[in-house]
Amino acid sequence: MEGMTALTSVITSSLTAGMTDGSAASTESSAVENRDLACATRVLRTEADALVALADSLDGAFLQALDLLHGIEGRVVVTGMGKSGHVARKIAATMASTGTPAFFVHPGEASHGDLGMIAKNDAVVALSNSGETHELADIIAYTRRFGIPLIGMTRRAASSLAEQSDVALVLPPVPEACPLGLAPTTSTTMMLALGDAIAVALLERRGFSAADFREFHPGGQLGRALLKVTDIMHKGTDLPLCRLDSPLSDVIFEMTAKRLGCVGVTDEAGVLVGIITDGDVRRHLTPELLAERADSIMSPRPKTIRPKALIVEALREMNEKKITTLFVIEDDRPLGIVHIHDCLRAGAA
């Protein structure tokens, strides 16, 4: 009996200790998670506050930079070293995709021949947190020598970059999100956002449209969404057409050859006045059908769409009308025809 009591005591103690250890581990894990969330929240709020400060600091220098970049005949050359260089690459890519020809030049490579990529009718945007990045020296000197406009983006108004620039975009004096104050965090976020502000402001000045945007983004979902019916329509010799007085034997041959399940009917002036579908042929099928004319079985006023319509609009129209084809017309004359399968293949679904 005493042995049983002792064993029970040992088991109880072990269970109690295990529960205590588990509770301690859970508490420690929760503390770590709370610290991580607090750190992430602090970083995001610090950078968000910095962006507000940046927005409030915009002044005439920003407008001067826009005037300068909008007025050049060449391209915008964006440059920077280290983290600023990564941001510069993104700024150049954003500008290039929104109507401002731009590219990135690495300052180190510039000192070994790539200065030749910068022409006299270009402008340079140089990024440097301190404004004293020595790798930028050759690019700065090159712009001064040949009168190439220079826009500097830095946190120090008294820096060499700011003083040598035609326009200095000075970031507000806010702390880095890094607790050591060393890792570029807030500063690069502000540079990136300021680059976006410049690119979008230039986009609006130029009246850059969705159609223009699509020209620079032909691939991917965005490019497909901005495709127009004229990009995918069947045209020329692939366009199934016949005249009002065409014998149905010719109509059926045309429909079979073009394989779109229909034929558009035009009058003497080339105006689209009707449509004959394979269903129309089946419904009127008699021994005498082949001797009839196209206008005897055609359906008048076929469904059409304008040339500049997006393929998503064409797909919606076909779904709503429960049809599979739309003629693309201009001045009432057929330019092409688009089939629902063409829209689906182009990714309009």
Side-chain angles (χ1 to χ4, degrees):
M1 190 67 177
E2 292 178 358
M4 287 294 291
T5 302
L7 179 60
T8 301
S9 177
V10 170
I11 293 173
T12 302
S13 298
S14 298
L15 289 173
T16 302
M19 291 175 64
T20 303
D21 291 344
S23 178
S26 177
T27 301
E28 183 178 352
S29 175
S30 296
V32 170
E33 291 175 355
N34 289 338
R35 285 198 300 271
D36 291 342
L37 289 174
C39 174
T41 301
R42 184 184 68 249
V43 170
L44 294 176
R45 291 191 183 282
T46 299
E47 297 199 1
D49 291 343
L51 292 180
V52 172
L54 175 62
D56 292 339
S57 72
L58 295 182
D59 54 16
F62 181 81
L63 298 177
Q64 292 173 23
L66 286 184
D67 290 339
L68 190 156
L69 296 176
H70 187 254
I72 63 171
E73 297 178 358
R75 298 160 298 174
V76 179
V77 180
V78 194
T79 187
M81 194 70 189
K83 304 297 187 297
S84 296
H86 294 307
V87 174
R89 287 180 185 274
K90 193 274 179 184
I91 292 174
T94 300
M95 286 185 175
S97 70
T98 53
T100 300
F103 64 98
F104 172 80
V105 169
H106 191 286
E109 297 296 336
S111 298
H112 295 275
D114 281 2
L115 282 174
M117 299 172 69
I118 306 173
K120 290 185 178 181
N121 58 350
D122 293 338
V124 173
V125 177
L127 281 62
S128 171
N129 186 30
S130 66
E132 302 295 344
T133 305
H134 68 272
E135 289 90 348
L136 290 174
D138 288 337
I139 289 183
I140 294 173
Y142 187 81
T143 64
R144 303 304 81 190
R145 178 183 177 188
F146 293 103
I148 297 170
L150 173 64
I151 297 172
M153 192 182 298
T154 179
R155 296 181 74 178
R156 295 182 59 236
S159 64
S160 299
L161 174 59
E163 291 173 353
Q164 292 298 323
S165 296
D166 297 292
V167 180
L169 298 175
V170 181
L171 306 176
V174 294
E176 298 285 7
C178 166
L180 303 176
L182 299 175
T185 47
T186 306
S187 57
T188 49
T189 298
M190 287 192 293
M191 286 181 175
L192 188 64
L194 187 54
D196 286 343
I198 293 171
V200 174
L202 288 172
L203 175 153
E204 292 191 1
R205 278 199 182 191
R206 291 190 170 91
F208 198 73
S209 67
D212 297 321
F213 199 83
R214 190 255 161 189
E215 293 298 324
F216 298 124
H217 301 77
Q221 185 62 37
L222 177 61
R224 292 192 295 272
L226 294 175
L227 281 172
K228 295 190 287 289
V229 291
T230 48
D231 295 318
I232 64 169
M233 71 182 185
H234 303 268
K235 56 187 177 181
T237 57
D238 294 326
L239 181 58
L241 293 174
C242 70
R243 298 288 291 273
L244 282 166
D245 58 355
S246 297
L248 282 173
S249 56
D250 292 349
V251 172
I252 294 172
F253 180 82
E254 176 80 353
M255 187 183 300
T256 303
K258 303 302 170 62
R259 303 175 63 180
L260 289 170
C262 69
V263 173
V265 183
T266 61
D267 63 14
E268 294 180 355
V271 173
L272 185 70
V273 294
I275 184 173
I276 299 173
T277 68
D278 51 4
D280 293 326
V281 173
R282 288 195 301 272
R283 282 187 292 274
H284 292 84
L285 191 58
T286 63
E288 297 78 22
L289 178 66
L290 296 183
E292 297 288 339
R293 292 175 17 141
D295 56 1
S296 66
I297 68 168
M298 76 173 191
S299 299
R301 297 181 297 280
K303 300 297 185 294
T304 63
I305 197 164
R306 67 190 191 286
K308 292 185 179 180
L310 299 180
I311 59 172
V312 290
E313 181 182 341
L315 182 62
R316 183 181 69 249
E317 183 78 5
M318 285 186 273
N319 283 329
E320 290 177 355
K321 299 294 192 300
K322 294 181 172 56
I323 57 177
T324 58
T325 55
L326 284 171
F327 277 94
V328 183
I329 66 166
E330 188 171 53
D331 298 328
D332 295 327
R333 289 171 173 78
L335 299 178
I337 185 172
V338 59
H339 194 279
I340 193 169
H341 291 164
D342 302 322
C343 298
L344 295 176
R345 277 193 293 268

